[in-house]
Amino acid sequence: MAEDVTEDRILGGQVLIRQPRAGYRAGLDAALLAAACDAGEGERVIEAGCGVGAALLAAAARRPLARFVGVERDPGALALASGNIRLNGLEARVSVLAGDIGAPFAVLGLEPFDAVLANPPFFDDTRALRGPAPAKRGAWIADDGLAAWIAFLTKAAREGGTITLIHRADRVADILVLLSAKAGSFQVRPVHPFADAPAKRVIVRAVKTGKAPLALLPPLVLHERAGAKHTAEVEAILRGGAVLAWA
């Protein structure tokens, strides 16, 4: 194994991934996105911008009767993702392919999916933060903007299919407006660092052509002020013993 790559276990040791030592590394957001996937038997799931495959493989481990495809534009991350699929023996129902989210979904030549997952880059304005390290830029900066990501996600979902993404809480209004052109039946789960602190993340789920009223779900609290690093609920999610359920 190359010195610039580490080998790490996630989902309570169920999934083994190789990822860059110094570049963008899979974290809590990927774990939460995987836990939010509820694909059933025979359903097809696509993750836009899958990186090295942490969320993709964790979701596949959680949902053994579904099939998964990851799309990634970075050749290094794509190679690691492909290797990670083999490392976990999931070649029969997980695959990855090269693709740019800034391009139309139709370019991939795939049929729309039952479920779409994404952890889009959190920034689309380089003036909004100090420039990230070059190895992390692709994961932090959405070159084509959040609108391009939402357009890809809605095209990738079939009629009645679900779209699930995790993003900054302060972009929830933008996310809902962009999704509302093609989707509805929104469910929003705020993610708070502490019970007494404002939400920093949201997990948003929509149904393509859905018409149900918006539902604001109970929050997920990540940490306690004292004691364990994570709350019991989050620790169970990280170890694969719990899911993020939808209404």
Side-chain angles (χ1 to χ4, degrees), residues 3 42 72 86 97-98 154 158 166 178 200 210 213 217 219 227 241:
E3 292 184 359
E72 177 55 48
R86 294 191 298 272
L97 52 85
T154 53
R158 64 166 175 80
I166 185 168
L178 290 167
K200 292 294 185 70
L217 303 183

Side-chain angles (χ1 to χ4, degrees), residues 30-230:
L32 297 181
L33 183 64
C37 176
D38 61 352
E41 181 176 357
E43 292 193 320
R44 298 167 58 249
V45 184
I46 186 170
E47 185 191 0
C50 68
V52 303
L56 186 74
L57 291 168
R62 287 175 171 277
R63 300 291 172 178
L65 300 180
R67 301 177 67 86
F68 292 79
V69 174
V71 178
E72 177 55 48
R73 72 175 183 178
D74 179 77
L78 186 67
L80 284 169
S82 182
N84 286 334
I85 292 170
R86 294 191 298 272
L87 195 62
N88 289 277
L90 290 171
E91 304 97 317
R93 59 187 186 86
V94 184
S95 61
V96 288
L97 52 85
D100 192 331
I101 306 308
F105 170 73
V107 171
L108 299 178
L110 301 174
E111 292 295 320
F113 287 75
D114 301 294
V116 181
L117 306 176
N119 178 12
F122 283 170
F123 300 92
D124 50 16
D125 183 353
T126 56
R127 298 168 297 180
L129 78 166
R130 185 170 54 192
K136 298 181 179 181
R137 189 187 187 285
W140 280 94
I141 304 294
D143 292 326
D144 299 292
L146 183 58
W149 277 78
I150 299 296
F152 182 94
L153 301 181
T154 53
K155 286 291 187 182
R158 64 166 175 80
E159 300 289 311
T162 61
I163 300 162
T164 306
L165 66 151
I166 185 168
H167 209 273
R168 290 162 38 200
D170 63 347
R171 297 299 303 273
V172 66
D174 298 324
I175 292 168
L176 295 179
V177 167
L178 290 167
L179 281 170
S180 64
K182 297 289 184 179
S185 302
F186 300 114
Q187 297 184 50
V188 178
R189 187 179 299 278
V191 181
H192 297 250
F194 298 96
D196 58 354
K200 292 294 185 70
R201 300 279 188 273
V202 286
I203 306 171
V204 178
R205 175 187 172 95
V207 177
K208 188 167 180 179
T209 67
K211 303 298 183 184
L214 182 148
L216 186 60
L217 303 183
L220 179 69
V221 178
L222 300 179
H223 309 291
E224 299 174 346
R225 290 290 183 186
K229 179 179 179 181
H230 296 111

